[in-house]
Amino acid sequence: MTPINPDQLIVQLTQWALSFLDSYPLVAVLVAILLSTVPLVAVFPICFAITTWLERKGLARIQNRIGPNRTGFLGMLQPIADGIKMLLKEDIVPKTSDRLAHFLAPVVLMVPAFTILSVLPFNRNMIPAAVDTGVILFFALGSVSTLAVFMAGWSSRNKYSLLGGMRAIAQMVSYELPLVLSGVTVIMMTGSLDTTKIVAQQQLSEWIQSSNAGLQCLGQIIGWNVFTPWGFAGFLIFFVASLAEINRCPFDLPEADSEIVAGHLTEYSGFKYALFFMSEYVSAFAINGLSTTLFLGGWSGPNIRPPWSDDPNALLIPGFVWFFAKMFALMLVMIWIRGTLPRLRVDHLMGFAWKFLLPLAIMNIFVGGFYYYAPRWHGIPVVGWPIGFLVMYLSYECIGRLNRGPKTAQRVYHYAS
Amino acid sequence: MLGIGILKGMAITAKNFFGSFVNKRLLPTLQYPEAGNSVTLFSRNIPFLVYDNDEDPLGTMRCVACKICEKECPPQCIYIVMEKDANGKPAKRPKVFDIDISVCMGCQICVEVCPFESIKMDSTFELSTPDRFEGLLLKREHLLKSNTYFHKIHPDEAQEVDDRLAAKQKKPAPTPSTPAA
Ligand code: SF4
Ligand code: SF4
């Protein structure tokens, strides 16, 4: 029996449980699959509930309101009340809709939302599906949601739904490019599509394995990709593009409620609507999980080796704590953005993706390449860092200036002054 | 620099978020049934009829049923029938004075046009009723409220009105709008 290691406790427990089934390989496989999928399906809906509560409370405070406060302490049971309300509502299907597609759309949206979670490393050795090409799988499955949204828009036989679906396709396809390209930089630097390797590359293993607690802590942080010029730019591009990818404010054009009722959700009610809602949040979690993995060091965070352990890789705080902390932090930023920015216009949305984010992401790839080959001094990128930063900053300014529209004359008000 | 505006906006929302925990001004919500209401001296919603003597509401009401307010009310929600005495002579007071408060829009025009300072704006607001037809049609008896009450809800305005009435009493000049009967 290996010594107790808080970091790996869950993994060790699983292995211990599975060791009883050694003589029944088939059952062992089934149980292993269940043990890695059931937590996903159990944990993320809970996260979803917590996030809806956080969002309601946070937005309320931003707008100088109190928010839900009648259901339980601080309105914490609000998600349950919402869920009951959703379940009890009548499921209305338009008479002339394409019934099969209308029924399938929420399901088709939910399956990839949960599936892509399985390539995220929540902790060391804690990845539901250790795929060598995890990042590719994530993007490939993630883009299935576009199909589901369009299915919903098309099958409802409602002009608003269709408009929403068309907007969704245009938006998701456009933003897929900067999203993937900013991820490409990380893949290039790591030389691997494997999410576990990408996380491992962001940890300084010599520091972590040293005996100094401060170094152990720092070694878990200093290597994050976000602290490099290409990583920082890539993280911002990725974050903005992911906002658009999951239809969140300020890119929520597919369901713009003040323009096209609720877009592709117009004809949905009851539980199907709830499914849409949940898949949206779960994919938000998934994409935040991926940006955590790619840029924010995945499950690594300020952490030390437990004093009683002599395993050089053992850690005191389980990695998934940091992973979820970062994921929720990104979620909070999304809520904050939702409380701040108004919705974009459709042409601005397209222009922003194709004329601003895409060139910037391509520039970022070059900067990443330069950073990789630039001479280092004792392993410190003394040349790559400042020059890379400067180049990224200048291209940001230049592309921004090039995108400036023609100056319109100042509007003159004759009667209101 | 590009994007500074967004950061400024984010700073403002963050300020509102954190400020709402410490600054009362940034969280003005009143939890209504528990924490009272927000009726102030400036609240006005539906009209009421003023009478002077607390003992005799019907005898001392100021309204003379001239029907000016009925004609001026934009949504036409006032209905007045003048009382007639035994000989069929108009008694200069309303027999029926109804205001449909589901129609009244609280514009205060009736108050502005009344030459007798008889109709004034109220600030009561708990008017919900399970009966949306009869319950929202306020009759003369519901509308009549004393001058004391008027002093209570809008003291300044009530004092002004009292002064004006007293001045009128001192020199009973023949006003064209109230021909002596
Ligand atoms: S205008 Fe004044 S006096 Fe005339 S009917 Fe209306 S409330 Fe009565
Ligand atoms: S407040 Fe306006 S709407 Fe209401 S009764 Fe008076 S005149 Fe009519």
PDB file of all heavy atoms in Angstrom, chain A residues 307-326:
ATOM      1  N   PRO A 307       4.437  17.491   4.816  1.00  0.00           N
ATOM      2  CA  PRO A 307       5.671  17.251   5.562  1.00  0.00           C
ATOM      3  C   PRO A 307       5.940  15.769   5.824  1.00  0.00           C
ATOM      4  O   PRO A 307       7.097  15.384   5.971  1.00  0.00           O
ATOM      5  CB  PRO A 307       5.455  18.023   6.869  1.00  0.00           C
ATOM      6  CG  PRO A 307       4.028  18.383   6.902  1.00  0.00           C
ATOM      7  CD  PRO A 307       3.526  18.402   5.507  1.00  0.00           C
ATOM      8  N   TRP A 308       4.897  14.940   5.874  1.00  0.00           N
ATOM      9  CA  TRP A 308       5.128  13.535   6.225  1.00  0.00           C
ATOM     10  C   TRP A 308       5.464  12.675   5.021  1.00  0.00           C
ATOM     11  O   TRP A 308       5.790  11.508   5.156  1.00  0.00           O
ATOM     12  CB  TRP A 308       3.899  12.971   6.923  1.00  0.00           C
ATOM     13  CG  TRP A 308       2.683  12.947   6.034  1.00  0.00           C
ATOM     14  CD1 TRP A 308       2.341  11.988   5.145  1.00  0.00           C
ATOM     15  CD2 TRP A 308       1.677  13.937   5.932  1.00  0.00           C
ATOM     16  NE1 TRP A 308       1.200  12.323   4.507  1.00  0.00           N
ATOM     17  CE2 TRP A 308       0.751  13.529   4.970  1.00  0.00           C
ATOM     18  CE3 TRP A 308       1.467  15.192   6.580  1.00  0.00           C
ATOM     19  CZ2 TRP A 308      -0.367  14.273   4.629  1.00  0.00           C
ATOM     20  CZ3 TRP A 308       0.348  15.913   6.228  1.00  0.00           C
ATOM     21  CH2 TRP A 308      -0.547  15.464   5.271  1.00  0.00           C
ATOM     22  N   SER A 309       5.374  13.244   3.840  1.00  0.00           N
ATOM     23  CA  SER A 309       5.525  12.420   2.647  1.00  0.00           C
ATOM     24  C   SER A 309       6.927  12.581   2.063  1.00  0.00           C
ATOM     25  O   SER A 309       7.516  13.658   2.121  1.00  0.00           O
ATOM     26  CB  SER A 309       4.489  12.829   1.608  1.00  0.00           C
ATOM     27  OG  SER A 309       4.749  12.153   0.411  1.00  0.00           O
ATOM     28  N   ASP A 310       7.505  11.495   1.537  1.00  0.00           N
ATOM     29  CA  ASP A 310       8.779  11.643   0.862  1.00  0.00           C
ATOM     30  C   ASP A 310       8.673  11.385  -0.636  1.00  0.00           C
ATOM     31  O   ASP A 310       9.660  11.297  -1.331  1.00  0.00           O
ATOM     32  CB  ASP A 310       9.836  10.745   1.491  1.00  0.00           C
ATOM     33  CG  ASP A 310       9.247   9.412   1.872  1.00  0.00           C
ATOM     34  OD1 ASP A 310       8.669   8.755   0.983  1.00  0.00           O
ATOM     35  OD2 ASP A 310       9.329   9.060   3.054  1.00  0.00           O
ATOM     36  N   ASP A 311       7.423  11.288  -1.106  1.00  0.00           N
ATOM     37  CA  ASP A 311       7.206  11.205  -2.544  1.00  0.00           C
ATOM     38  C   ASP A 311       7.448  12.603  -3.133  1.00  0.00           C
ATOM     39  O   ASP A 311       6.788  13.563  -2.721  1.00  0.00           O
ATOM     40  CB  ASP A 311       5.765  10.747  -2.807  1.00  0.00           C
ATOM     41  CG  ASP A 311       5.443  10.704  -4.280  1.00  0.00           C
ATOM     42  OD1 ASP A 311       6.351  11.007  -5.077  1.00  0.00           O
ATOM     43  OD2 ASP A 311       4.308  10.369  -4.628  1.00  0.00           O
ATOM     44  N   PRO A 312       8.409  12.771  -4.050  1.00  0.00           N
ATOM     45  CA  PRO A 312       8.732  14.128  -4.532  1.00  0.00           C
ATOM     46  C   PRO A 312       7.574  14.798  -5.243  1.00  0.00           C
ATOM     47  O   PRO A 312       7.577  16.022  -5.409  1.00  0.00           O
ATOM     48  CB  PRO A 312       9.920  13.898  -5.473  1.00  0.00           C
ATOM     49  CG  PRO A 312       9.855  12.457  -5.843  1.00  0.00           C
ATOM     50  CD  PRO A 312       9.256  11.743  -4.666  1.00  0.00           C
ATOM     51  N   ASN A 313       6.578  14.042  -5.687  1.00  0.00           N
ATOM     52  CA  ASN A 313       5.477  14.662  -6.424  1.00  0.00           C
ATOM     53  C   ASN A 313       4.259  14.914  -5.555  1.00  0.00           C
ATOM     54  O   ASN A 313       3.267  15.472  -6.023  1.00  0.00           O
ATOM     55  CB  ASN A 313       5.074  13.784  -7.599  1.00  0.00           C
ATOM     56  CG  ASN A 313       6.039  13.945  -8.750  1.00  0.00           C
ATOM     57  OD1 ASN A 313       6.520  15.046  -8.987  1.00  0.00           O
ATOM     58  ND2 ASN A 313       6.351  12.861  -9.420  1.00  0.00           N
ATOM     59  N   ALA A 314       4.316  14.483  -4.292  1.00  0.00           N
ATOM     60  CA  ALA A 314       3.128  14.616  -3.453  1.00  0.00           C
ATOM     61  C   ALA A 314       2.824  16.083  -3.173  1.00  0.00           C
ATOM     62  O   ALA A 314       3.720  16.914  -3.076  1.00  0.00           O
ATOM     63  CB  ALA A 314       3.354  13.880  -2.141  1.00  0.00           C
ATOM     64  N   LEU A 315       1.553  16.410  -3.047  1.00  0.00           N
ATOM     65  CA  LEU A 315       1.146  17.789  -2.801  1.00  0.00           C
ATOM     66  C   LEU A 315       0.122  17.819  -1.682  1.00  0.00           C
ATOM     67  O   LEU A 315      -0.615  16.853  -1.468  1.00  0.00           O
ATOM     68  CB  LEU A 315       0.525  18.392  -4.061  1.00  0.00           C
ATOM     69  CG  LEU A 315       1.504  18.594  -5.218  1.00  0.00           C
ATOM     70  CD1 LEU A 315       0.750  18.978  -6.458  1.00  0.00           C
ATOM     71  CD2 LEU A 315       2.514  19.655  -4.858  1.00  0.00           C
ATOM     72  N   LEU A 316       0.102  18.941  -0.960  1.00  0.00           N
ATOM     73  CA  LEU A 316      -0.773  19.019   0.203  1.00  0.00           C
ATOM     74  C   LEU A 316      -2.228  19.271  -0.199  1.00  0.00           C
ATOM     75  O   LEU A 316      -3.149  18.624   0.294  1.00  0.00           O
ATOM     76  CB  LEU A 316      -0.282  20.143   1.123  1.00  0.00           C
ATOM     77  CG  LEU A 316      -0.955  20.197   2.486  1.00  0.00           C
ATOM     78  CD1 LEU A 316      -0.679  18.914   3.240  1.00  0.00           C
ATOM     79  CD2 LEU A 316      -0.419  21.372   3.287  1.00  0.00           C
ATOM     80  N   ILE A 317      -2.414  20.224  -1.088  1.00  0.00           N
ATOM     81  CA  ILE A 317      -3.777  20.575  -1.500  1.00  0.00           C
ATOM     82  C   ILE A 317      -4.067  19.839  -2.804  1.00  0.00           C
ATOM     83  O   ILE A 317      -3.281  19.930  -3.745  1.00  0.00           O
ATOM     84  CB  ILE A 317      -3.904  22.090  -1.718  1.00  0.00           C
ATOM     85  CG1 ILE A 317      -3.446  22.825  -0.469  1.00  0.00           C
ATOM     86  CG2 ILE A 317      -5.327  22.466  -2.080  1.00  0.00           C
ATOM     87  CD1 ILE A 317      -3.280  24.299  -0.659  1.00  0.00           C
ATOM     88  N   PRO A 318      -5.175  19.116  -2.875  1.00  0.00           N
ATOM     89  CA  PRO A 318      -5.465  18.404  -4.121  1.00  0.00           C
ATOM     90  C   PRO A 318      -5.537  19.375  -5.293  1.00  0.00           C
ATOM     91  O   PRO A 318      -6.075  20.481  -5.175  1.00  0.00           O
ATOM     92  CB  PRO A 318      -6.829  17.766  -3.859  1.00  0.00           C
ATOM     93  CG  PRO A 318      -6.973  17.736  -2.397  1.00  0.00           C
ATOM     94  CD  PRO A 318      -6.172  18.866  -1.849  1.00  0.00           C
ATOM     95  N   GLY A 319      -5.005  18.958  -6.427  1.00  0.00           N
ATOM     96  CA  GLY A 319      -4.946  19.842  -7.578  1.00  0.00           C
ATOM     97  C   GLY A 319      -6.298  20.290  -8.071  1.00  0.00           C
ATOM     98  O   GLY A 319      -6.442  21.407  -8.563  1.00  0.00           O
ATOM     99  N   PHE A 320      -7.314  19.427  -7.906  1.00  0.00           N
ATOM    100  CA  PHE A 320      -8.612  19.833  -8.476  1.00  0.00           C
ATOM    101  C   PHE A 320      -9.188  21.041  -7.748  1.00  0.00           C
ATOM    102  O   PHE A 320     -10.014  21.756  -8.297  1.00  0.00           O
ATOM    103  CB  PHE A 320      -9.593  18.665  -8.514  1.00  0.00           C
ATOM    104  CG  PHE A 320      -9.829  17.990  -7.198  1.00  0.00           C
ATOM    105  CD1 PHE A 320     -10.705  18.537  -6.286  1.00  0.00           C
ATOM    106  CD2 PHE A 320      -9.196  16.787  -6.890  1.00  0.00           C
ATOM    107  CE1 PHE A 320     -10.935  17.921  -5.089  1.00  0.00           C
ATOM    108  CE2 PHE A 320      -9.422  16.160  -5.686  1.00  0.00           C
ATOM    109  CZ  PHE A 320     -10.288  16.738  -4.771  1.00  0.00           C
ATOM    110  N   VAL A 321      -8.736  21.277  -6.514  1.00  0.00           N
ATOM    111  CA  VAL A 321      -9.184  22.495  -5.817  1.00  0.00           C
ATOM    112  C   VAL A 321      -8.760  23.717  -6.611  1.00  0.00           C
ATOM    113  O   VAL A 321      -9.549  24.624  -6.889  1.00  0.00           O
ATOM    114  CB  VAL A 321      -8.588  22.534  -4.400  1.00  0.00           C
ATOM    115  CG1 VAL A 321      -8.884  23.867  -3.751  1.00  0.00           C
ATOM    116  CG2 VAL A 321      -9.150  21.405  -3.571  1.00  0.00           C
ATOM    117  N   TRP A 322      -7.484  23.707  -7.024  1.00  0.00           N
ATOM    118  CA  TRP A 322      -6.999  24.845  -7.808  1.00  0.00           C
ATOM    119  C   TRP A 322      -7.689  24.907  -9.149  1.00  0.00           C
ATOM    120  O   TRP A 322      -8.037  25.978  -9.628  1.00  0.00           O
ATOM    121  CB  TRP A 322      -5.482  24.753  -8.001  1.00  0.00           C
ATOM    122  CG  TRP A 322      -4.763  24.908  -6.727  1.00  0.00           C
ATOM    123  CD1 TRP A 322      -3.984  23.983  -6.107  1.00  0.00           C
ATOM    124  CD2 TRP A 322      -4.768  26.056  -5.879  1.00  0.00           C
ATOM    125  NE1 TRP A 322      -3.506  24.474  -4.932  1.00  0.00           N
ATOM    126  CE2 TRP A 322      -3.971  25.747  -4.765  1.00  0.00           C
ATOM    127  CE3 TRP A 322      -5.364  27.300  -5.957  1.00  0.00           C
ATOM    128  CZ2 TRP A 322      -3.758  26.643  -3.730  1.00  0.00           C
ATOM    129  CZ3 TRP A 322      -5.157  28.199  -4.936  1.00  0.00           C
ATOM    130  CH2 TRP A 322      -4.354  27.867  -3.840  1.00  0.00           C
ATOM    131  N   PHE A 323      -7.882  23.737  -9.738  1.00  0.00           N
ATOM    132  CA  PHE A 323      -8.519  23.712 -11.057  1.00  0.00           C
ATOM    133  C   PHE A 323      -9.900  24.355 -10.989  1.00  0.00           C
ATOM    134  O   PHE A 323     -10.230  25.254 -11.761  1.00  0.00           O
ATOM    135  CB  PHE A 323      -8.626  22.267 -11.549  1.00  0.00           C
ATOM    136  CG  PHE A 323      -9.123  22.150 -12.948  1.00  0.00           C
ATOM    137  CD1 PHE A 323      -8.234  22.203 -14.002  1.00  0.00           C
ATOM    138  CD2 PHE A 323     -10.476  22.015 -13.220  1.00  0.00           C
ATOM    139  CE1 PHE A 323      -8.685  22.104 -15.293  1.00  0.00           C
ATOM    140  CE2 PHE A 323     -10.925  21.921 -14.508  1.00  0.00           C
ATOM    141  CZ  PHE A 323     -10.018  21.959 -15.549  1.00  0.00           C
ATOM    142  N   PHE A 324     -10.693  23.905  -9.995  1.00  0.00           N
ATOM    143  CA  PHE A 324     -12.051  24.454  -9.910  1.00  0.00           C
ATOM    144  C   PHE A 324     -12.012  25.917  -9.496  1.00  0.00           C
ATOM    145  O   PHE A 324     -12.851  26.711  -9.936  1.00  0.00           O
ATOM    146  CB  PHE A 324     -12.895  23.624  -8.946  1.00  0.00           C
ATOM    147  CG  PHE A 324     -13.486  22.419  -9.604  1.00  0.00           C
ATOM    148  CD1 PHE A 324     -12.832  21.198  -9.585  1.00  0.00           C
ATOM    149  CD2 PHE A 324     -14.683  22.515 -10.284  1.00  0.00           C
ATOM    150  CE1 PHE A 324     -13.370  20.101 -10.217  1.00  0.00           C
ATOM    151  CE2 PHE A 324     -15.223  21.417 -10.922  1.00  0.00           C
ATOM    152  CZ  PHE A 324     -14.563  20.205 -10.881  1.00  0.00           C
ATOM    153  N   ALA A 325     -11.037  26.280  -8.659  1.00  0.00           N
ATOM    154  CA  ALA A 325     -10.947  27.690  -8.264  1.00  0.00           C
ATOM    155  C   ALA A 325     -10.722  28.564  -9.490  1.00  0.00           C
ATOM    156  O   ALA A 325     -11.375  29.592  -9.671  1.00  0.00           O
ATOM    157  CB  ALA A 325      -9.815  27.882  -7.269  1.00  0.00           C
ATOM    158  N   LYS A 326      -9.818  28.124 -10.350  1.00  0.00           N
ATOM    159  CA  LYS A 326      -9.526  28.938 -11.539  1.00  0.00           C
ATOM    160  C   LYS A 326     -10.715  28.963 -12.482  1.00  0.00           C
ATOM    161  O   LYS A 326     -11.047  30.003 -13.068  1.00  0.00           O
ATOM    162  CB  LYS A 326      -8.308  28.379 -12.265  1.00  0.00           C
ATOM    163  CG  LYS A 326      -7.025  28.635 -11.529  1.00  0.00           C
ATOM    164  CD  LYS A 326      -5.888  28.033 -12.285  1.00  0.00           C
ATOM    165  CE  LYS A 326      -4.912  27.394 -11.348  1.00  0.00           C
ATOM    166  NZ  LYS A 326      -3.870  26.682 -12.068  1.00  0.00           N
TER     167      LYS A 326
END
